[in-house]
Amino acid sequence: MDEAAQSGRRGRASVRAARIQDVAKLAEVSTATVSRALATPERVSAEARARVMEAIAKTGYVPNPAARTLRSQKTYMVLVVLPDLANTFFSKILRGIEETLFEAGYGMIIGDLDGSPEKEAHFAAYTAAGRVDGAILLHGHLFGQSRGGEGAPDRIGIPLVALCEAIPGADIPQIEIDNRAAASRMTRHLASLGHRSIAYVSGPAGNILELERFLGYRDGLEAAGLSFDPALVIPGDYTIESGVAAGQNLVARASRPTAVFCTSDEMAIGLMRTLFSAGLKVPDDISVAGFDDIEFAAVAEPALTTIHQPRRELGQAAATALVALLQGRPTPKRIRLDTELVIRDSVAALCPMS
Amino acid sequence: MDEAAQSGRRGRASVRAARIQDVAKLAEVSTATVSRALATPERVSAEARARVMEAIAKTGYVPNPAARTLRSQKTYMVLVVLPDLANTFFSKILRGIEETLFEAGYGMIIGDLDGSPEKEAHFAAYTAAGRVDGAILLHGHLFGQSRGGEGAPDRIGIPLVALCEAIPGADIPQIEIDNRAAASRMTRHLASLGHRSIAYVSGPAGNILELERFLGYRDGLEAAGLSFDPALVIPGDYTIESGVAAGQNLVARASRPTAVFCTSDEMAIGLMRTLFSAGLKVPDDISVAGFDDIEFAAVAEPALTTIHQPRRELGQAAATALVALLQGRPTPKRIRLDTELVIRDSVAALCPMS
C-alpha cells in the first residue's frame, strides 16, 4: 500500500518539503540553473527548462511563490478559447496548435465557452491574472465584447491571435479561410450539376462564418444565373441536432429542392439521417453537401461531398503567429489558407427525367 | 479606429494602470470586498467574487501579484486531463464536468495528452506550480506514473479525481462504468441473436478500459457457451482509422465472422465504411456493434447498436467529487454508473440459411 500512502489521503497528495537541491539533482543541472529556469526562463534552454519543470513536478518542490512571481510572470502556457468543443471540427485545429506550441516550449490549455458569456468572464479573469502567457481566440470576439464587436474589449495585457472566426477591427493577427469564396464554389458546383433549386442550411445567426458563407451562397447562385429564394434558407447552428431538424423541415415540404448545401458536415450528417428515415435516398432523391471535412465526412454513408478546411495547418499558423508575438518578433496581421472542394458520393448530377 | 487603438499593437493590448477603486465601482462593491475577493476568496460570496473577477478583467487591474500570491493561492480553476481530445466520446463528459464546476464557482481548462508523456510533464509542472486548484484525470494514471502504474507518482499537492479510466491502487475518488459487465452484455446480446462467430475489435494494448472490456467479451462468450478464438481478436485503438483498418482485415478473410463487436463507436463507423466499400451490407451480411453511444452513433447509416455510457452524468459525478474535496468535505472513493444496451439497426439476428 506504499503507492496509496504516497498518493495521499482523500485525493490530496502529501507534500514533504523538497529542496532546490533535490530538483537540481533530478534534473541533472546546477541549483543556479534551477533558479534561472524559474526567475529568467528565457536565459535557459527549452530543453533544460522542461527537465527542471518536470523535476519540480516529480519532487513536489514549491518555489517561494512570491519571490518567483516578482521575478517572472512567465507560465509557458497558452489558452485556446473555443466556441463549442463538442464540434469535432476543432480536434485537428487543436492538434496543429498544440504541436507548434510544444515545439516552441509552450503547453496548451483549452477553455470551452459553449456559448455562455459568464464562462468567458472566467477565462478573461484567469488570463488577466497572468496564468497564461498568451491566448488564441476561436470565438469571434475579444474578451468583454459582444459577437457583433460592441463594447470596449477587456484590457488583457498578453498577446492574442484570432483563428477561424475573424474579429473585425481587432488589431491582432487573424488566421482564417476565405469562407465566402468556398461557399460560392460549392454552390456553383451544385449548379453545374444541373441543380436549380439549392437549399442552404445556415450557421447561427450573427456568426461571422455564417455571414461570409451566406454571402458566398448568394454569390454562387448569381454566378450560376439562379435567383435567390428565401424559402430555401433553413436555419441551423452547425450541430448534428440542427441538421436533424433541418431534415425534418425538408421532409415536410410538398415541393423539395434537389440539392442541400449544409454549412457544416455535422449538420449534413444529421440531415441525411432524417432523409433516410423518411425513405429518401442520397444522392438519388436529393444531393447533400457539407462544409469542413471532419473525420466523419469521409466515412459517412454515402461519403460526404464537402469543403476541405486545412484544419491542422490553420492551428499551426495561429500558434506560429502567437509564438512570434511572445518572442517579440513581427508577424503578418492577416493569413488566409486555401480550401478545397472534395467530391465524394453524396452529390449527384440532376437527372433531367427525375 | 478607436477599437483598434484600444486593442493595441501587434496583438498586445495596451495596459493603463487601473486602480482598485475602478474595479470596486464596476463590480458595484466596496474596495474592501475587492481586497477580500483576492486575499480570502472563501469569505466572499461566489456571486460577488465572479463580479469582482469580471471587473478585474474589464479594467485590466493588476493586483500586486506578490502580495496576492502570499495571501491566497486559490485560482478557482480546475484542470481536466484527457488522453485524446479527438475522440468525440469526451465532449459530453466535459460538458457534465464544466456545468457542475461552474455552479460551484470554478472554471474548467482542458489539457490534451494525445498519448505523449512529454506533454504530461508540462501539465504536471503547471499543476505543481499551483495554477489550478484541482485536477480530473481521464488518462488512467497519476502524473509521473506509467500506464501500468509503475513509478512513484508526482507529489502534486492538490485534490485529484480519476474518471473513466480507473487508476488501480490510487487513493483518490474514482468514477467509472462497469466496462467488463457492459462488454459481456453486448457479447451475450450478439450470441442471443444466433451469432456463433463474434469478432472483437480491441482498444489500445495496456489500456485499462481495453483490459476490462476484453474480459467482458470472454465472460460473454463463456456465458453463451461459445469458445474463445484468438483469430477473432482484431487490434484497434478506438479511432476511426483503426476501425477502417480492422474492416480491411475482415474483408481480406476467406471465412468471416457474422458479427463484430467494436469497443468504440468510432471504430464501428470506420469499419462499416470499409465493409460498404467492399460491397458488404450491414447488418444483412455482417452485424456491427459499438461502444460509447457518441452523437454520431444514432445518425450513422445504419444507426449503430451500442452500449450507452451516461457521459454527462459521469462528468457531473467527477466534478461533484472534486468540489467536495476542494471544500474539505468527504466523498465516496468509488462511484460506478450504469450503462444501457441500445438496440438500433446495425445488428440483426443471424438467419440460419445464410
Side-chain angles (χ1 to χ4, degrees):
Chain A
M1 295 298 99
D2 249 3
E3 192 180 307
Q6 258 177 321
S7 73
R9 300 228 179 318
R10 302 243 308 264
R12 184 177 291 272
S14 63
V15 179
R16 281 189 298 127
R19 297 160 312 149
I20 194 166
Q21 287 83 351
D22 303 330
V23 176
K25 193 173 167 199
L26 191 60
E28 298 176 353
V29 297
S30 66
T31 54
T33 300
V34 176
S35 295
R36 253 199 313 277
L38 292 169
T40 51
E42 62 280 4
R43 289 173 54 204
V44 177
S45 74
E47 195 266 332
R49 201 167 63 224
R51 267 193 292 142
V52 169
M53 294 315 272
E54 195 177 343
I56 287 175
K58 285 258 179 218
T59 55
Y61 172 67
V62 181
N64 180 328
R68 187 179 167 195
T69 304
L70 283 174
R71 279 179 291 181
S72 165
Q73 300 245 30
K74 294 247 182 231
T75 65
Y76 290 94
M77 195 61 88
V78 165
L79 176 68
V80 178
V81 182
L82 298 182
D84 179 14
L85 180 69
N87 191 330
T88 58
F89 170 71
F90 294 112
S91 64
K92 274 215 175 157
I93 297 231
L94 290 168
R95 181 153 304 176
I97 294 175
E98 201 278 337
E99 63 197 12
T100 305
L101 288 178
F102 187 73
E103 232 168 73
Y106 290 86
M108 171 184 83
I109 51 176
I110 303 154
D112 180 23
L113 288 183
D114 198 16
S116 163
E118 311 92 275
K119 285 169 200 166
E120 180 178 293
H122 235 121
F123 297 123
Y126 195 74
T127 305
R131 301 204 190 276
V132 291
D133 293 353
I136 298 177
L137 310 177
L138 285 96
H139 62 301
H141 55 111
L142 297 173
F143 285 135
Q145 279 193 314
S146 72
R147 266 205 180 272
E150 286 98 36
D154 295 344
R155 279 172 279 159
I156 306 282
I158 61 166
L160 303 173
V161 167
L163 176 57
C164 293
E165 295 194 23
I167 306 179
D171 188 29
I172 61 178
Q174 310 215 22
I175 290 90
E176 56 177 352
I177 60 159
D178 190 336
N179 284 283
R180 183 169 180 167
S184 169
R185 188 166 177 198
M186 180 59 86
T187 307
R188 284 180 283 123
H189 174 64
L190 295 169
S192 76
L193 293 171
H195 296 283
R196 319 308 292 162
S197 175
I198 302 169
Y200 173 92
V201 183
S202 79
N207 180 285
I208 185 115
L209 303 176
E210 163 52 23
L211 217 74
E212 294 282 329
R213 290 176 196 174
F214 181 66
L215 290 172
Y217 166 63
R218 299 209 47 173
D219 291 349
L221 291 178
E222 195 181 324
L226 299 175
S227 59
F228 168 67
D229 177 358
L232 291 177
V233 176
I234 305 174
D237 63 6
Y238 297 143
T239 66
I240 292 180
E241 296 73 32
S242 73
V244 168
Q248 288 159 347
N249 176 319
L250 276 181
V251 166
R253 295 183 183 213
S255 128
R256 274 191 289 270
T258 60
V260 187
F261 173 22
C262 299
T263 52
S264 82
D265 289 346
E266 297 216 352
M267 293 198 295
I269 288 169
L271 180 130
M272 289 200 296
R273 170 78 264 160
T274 313
L275 299 182
F276 299 148
S277 298
L280 293 166
K281 292 202 185 86
V282 177
D284 305 11
D285 297 322
I286 190 162
S287 285
V288 176
F291 199 111
D292 290 341
D293 199 21
I294 60 173
E295 315 314 295
F296 287 94
V299 296
E301 176 59 21
L304 199 61
T305 290
T306 189
I307 295 288
H308 175 78
Q309 293 208 48
R311 295 185 289 149
R312 194 160 177 173
E313 291 77 11
L314 283 164
Q316 290 169 336
T320 300
L322 187 66
V323 169
L325 292 178
L326 289 167
Q327 299 176 344
R329 289 182 284 113
T331 181
K333 267 295 149 60
R334 195 133 201 154
I335 298 173
R336 276 198 163 164
L337 299 190
D338 290 334
T339 58
E340 272 171 65
L341 174 64
V342 181
I343 295 177
R344 298 201 183 96
D345 309 324
S346 64
V347 168
L350 186 66
C351 168
M353 302 303 297
S354 77
Chain B
M1 298 294 97
D2 247 4
E3 192 180 307
Q6 258 175 323
S7 74
R9 300 233 176 317
R10 302 241 310 264
R12 184 177 291 271
S14 63
V15 179
R16 280 189 298 127
R19 296 160 312 147
I20 194 166
Q21 286 84 352
D22 303 329
V23 175
K25 193 173 164 199
L26 190 60
E28 299 179 352
V29 297
S30 66
T31 54
T33 300
V34 175
S35 294
R36 255 199 312 277
L38 292 169
T40 52
E42 60 281 3
R43 289 173 55 206
V44 177
S45 73
E47 193 265 334
R49 202 169 63 225
R51 266 191 293 143
V52 169
M53 294 315 273
E54 195 177 343
I56 286 174
K58 284 258 177 221
T59 57
Y61 172 66
V62 181
N64 181 327
R68 187 178 166 192
T69 303
L70 283 174
R71 280 178 291 180
S72 166
Q73 300 244 28
K74 294 249 182 232
T75 65
Y76 291 95
M77 196 61 89
V78 165
L79 176 68
V80 178
V81 182
L82 299 182
D84 179 12
L85 181 68
N87 190 329
T88 59
F89 171 72
F90 294 112
S91 64
K92 273 213 175 158
I93 298 234
L94 290 169
R95 181 153 303 178
I97 294 174
E98 201 278 338
E99 63 197 12
T100 305
L101 288 179
F102 187 72
E103 234 167 70
Y106 290 86
M108 172 184 84
I109 52 178
I110 303 154
D112 181 23
L113 286 182
D114 198 16
S116 162
E118 311 93 274
K119 285 169 201 167
E120 180 178 293
H122 234 121
F123 297 122
Y126 194 73
T127 305
R131 302 206 189 272
V132 290
D133 292 353
I136 298 177
L137 310 177
L138 285 95
H139 63 300
H141 55 110
L142 297 173
F143 285 135
Q145 280 191 312
S146 72
R147 267 206 180 269
E150 285 98 37
D154 294 344
R155 280 172 279 159
I156 304 283
I158 60 166
L160 303 173
V161 167
L163 175 58
C164 293
E165 294 194 24
I167 306 178
D171 187 28
I172 61 176
Q174 309 215 20
I175 290 90
E176 55 177 353
I177 59 159
D178 189 337
N179 285 283
R180 182 170 182 167
S184 168
R185 189 165 177 201
M186 179 60 86
T187 307
R188 285 180 282 124
H189 173 64
L190 295 169
S192 76
L193 293 171
H195 295 283
R196 318 312 290 163
S197 175
I198 302 170
Y200 174 92
V201 183
S202 79
N207 180 285
I208 185 114
L209 304 177
E210 163 51 24
L211 217 73
E212 295 282 328
R213 290 175 196 175
F214 181 67
L215 290 173
Y217 166 64
R218 301 210 45 174
D219 290 349
L221 291 178
E222 197 180 324
L226 300 174
S227 58
F228 169 66
D229 177 359
L232 290 178
V233 176
I234 306 172
D237 63 7
Y238 297 143
T239 65
I240 292 179
E241 296 73 33
S242 73
V244 168
Q248 288 159 346
N249 177 318
L250 277 181
V251 167
R253 293 183 184 214
S255 128
R256 272 190 289 270
T258 60
V260 187
F261 174 22
C262 298
T263 53
S264 82
D265 289 347
E266 297 215 352
M267 292 197 296
I269 289 169
L271 181 131
M272 289 200 296
R273 169 79 264 158
T274 313
L275 299 182
F276 299 148
S277 298
L280 292 166
K281 291 200 185 87
V282 176
D284 304 14
D285 296 322
I286 190 161
S287 285
V288 176
F291 199 111
D292 290 341
D293 199 21
I294 59 173
E295 316 314 295
F296 287 93
V299 296
E301 175 61 20
L304 199 61
T305 290
T306 189
I307 295 287
H308 175 79
Q309 292 208 49
R311 295 185 287 149
R312 193 161 178 173
E313 291 77 10
L314 283 164
Q316 289 169 337
T320 300
L322 187 67
V323 168
L325 293 178
L326 289 168
Q327 299 176 342
R329 289 182 283 113
T331 180
K333 268 294 150 60
R334 194 132 201 155
I335 299 173
R336 275 201 163 163
L337 300 190
D338 290 334
T339 57
E340 272 171 65
L341 174 64
V342 180
I343 295 177
R344 297 201 183 96
D345 309 321
S346 63
V347 168
L350 186 66
C351 168
M353 301 303 296
S354 77

